Amino acid sequence: MKIRLVFLGKTRDPRLRALIEEYRKRIRRFTPIEILEPRAAEPERLAQDGLLVLLDPAGKELASEELARWLNRQQASGQRTLTFVLGEAEGFSQPARRSAHLLLSLSKLTFPHELARLVLVEQLYRAFASLHGHPYPK
């Protein structure tokens, strides 16, 4: 199963960009992953080859263990691609939200978008490490 992360706009902070890249490399040990940073995207078109997950403050909150189990179910069901989209501050249009297979919230807290990118990629790494029996600091 391939993971595609779509972050609208560039990650400008070089420290965050370096940390995101580090987690991308770690995830790559478990599954193919790509990070795209387009200026704009139509999320509903991204769901054509797999599941579409939109990061949304009103979405479902999952504990780290729940996210790992969800990823495991997707992998076991033969999903080819999981696309996670983190959009702009204005959020997603209603058509985009309706096209998503899952609206996911990282927290009830509000994060700057660049920090939310790091939180997402770290949680994905944590999930894959757990699924593959690798210890991860709590």
Side-chain angles (χ1 to χ4, degrees):
M1 177 175 72
K2 178 181 179 179
I3 301 292
R4 178 186 302 134
L5 304 179
V6 180
F7 300 149
L8 300 185
K10 295 286 183 193
T11 304
R12 293 187 179 105
D13 187 317
R15 297 164 298 175
L16 291 174
R17 195 169 47 245
L19 287 168
I20 290 168
E21 177 60 19
E22 175 61 29
Y23 282 112
R24 187 192 66 78
K25 287 179 185 174
R26 291 181 186 190
I27 293 169
R28 198 172 58 197
R29 293 182 219 153
F30 304 118
T31 194
I33 180 171
E34 70 176 330
I35 298 177
L36 306 172
E37 294 183 318
R39 289 182 185 219
E42 294 180 37
E44 52 273 25
R45 293 182 184 226
L46 297 171
Q48 294 174 356
D49 64 343
L51 288 183
L52 176 64
V53 179
L54 299 182
L55 280 286
D56 188 288
K60 184 174 185 174
E61 288 186 54
L62 299 176
S64 296
E65 298 82 15
E66 292 173 309
L67 178 61
R69 286 192 299 270
W70 184 83
L71 287 170
N72 193 43
R73 284 193 305 274
Q74 302 318 308
Q75 201 165 28
S77 72
Q79 282 301 328
R80 291 185 15 207
T81 306
L82 291 180
T83 300
F84 293 81
V85 183
L86 201 154
E88 300 288 337
E90 301 82 37
F92 296 102
S93 68
Q94 283 305 316
R97 294 177 97 233
R98 283 192 296 274
S99 71
H101 296 90
L102 174 65
L103 295 176
L104 178 65
S105 173
L106 295 176
S107 171
K108 290 182 181 180
L109 300 173
T110 301
F111 297 112
H113 275 71
E114 289 192 1
L115 183 56
R117 295 170 184 199
L118 177 60
V119 171
L120 173 62
V121 72
E122 187 279 336
Q123 286 297 302
L124 290 171
Y125 170 68
R126 181 180 295 270
F128 280 108
S130 172
L131 291 172
H132 288 86
H134 291 269
Y136 192 92
K138 304 236 179 218

